[in-house]
Amino acid sequence: MKFNLKGMSRKELEKLKADVEKALEKVGDEEKRAALQAAEKAAKSFGYSLDELSNVKPVKRAPKAAKSSDGRAKVAPKYRNPDDANMTWTGRGRKPKWVEAHLEKGGTLEQIAI
């Protein structure tokens, strides 16, 4: 069905808009009803009602790793400088000078592990 919108008055356009909104609402209600019936059927196939399932607490998932500005996942630090707690190292890449100095003094990575 095609409408000549340019040839319609403002009043006719507003009525058409209201009719379209009603039709969309009706379709939305029908879709929701169908979704509810499908959910009830699925719950029943497992031996539950939707009311029983609605009281179940959701499973907590591990948070996703934060990403750095270059898109790689951030890695938590594994080692901390015993002389300056602000200095850390993830264990990836080149060893910082403070780690090398600690190892040269006879220290181990286990000693500075967080």
Side-chain angles (χ1 to χ4, degrees):
M1 176 180 276
K2 249 187 168 180
F3 293 95
N4 179 9
L5 300 177
K6 291 182 181 178
M8 297 176 81
S9 69
R10 179 176 183 86
K11 190 173 183 179
E12 290 171 325
L13 288 169
E14 287 176 355
K15 179 168 180 357
L16 179 61
K17 179 182 174 187
D19 292 344
V20 168
E21 287 173 353
K22 275 185 187 178
L24 287 172
E25 194 173 299
K26 186 176 180 183
V27 169
D29 289 345
E30 290 170 2
E31 288 174 345
K32 287 178 187 177
R33 236 181 259 104
L36 181 59
Q37 287 174 347
E40 287 171 341
K41 185 177 178 182
K44 190 175 182 180
S45 73
F46 286 94
Y48 296 102
S49 71
L50 281 182
D51 289 338
E52 290 172 313
L53 294 178
S54 65
N55 294 327
V56 175
K57 292 180 182 175
V59 176
K60 289 187 179 180
R61 297 181 184 200
K64 290 186 177 180
K67 297 215 175 184
S68 64
S69 61
D70 63 1
R72 295 183 298 168
K74 288 187 178 180
V75 179
K78 294 181 183 173
Y79 306 99
R80 185 177 313 276
N81 185 344
D83 299 327
D84 183 356
N86 292 326
M87 298 175 92
T88 60
W89 179 48
T90 63
R92 291 186 176 181
R94 195 170 159 193
K95 290 181 186 92
K97 291 186 187 222
W98 62 266
V99 172
E100 289 178 355
H102 176 76
L103 295 174
E104 285 174 11
K105 291 179 193 172
T108 64
L109 288 177
E110 289 80 24
Q111 292 173 326
I112 58 174
I114 296 177

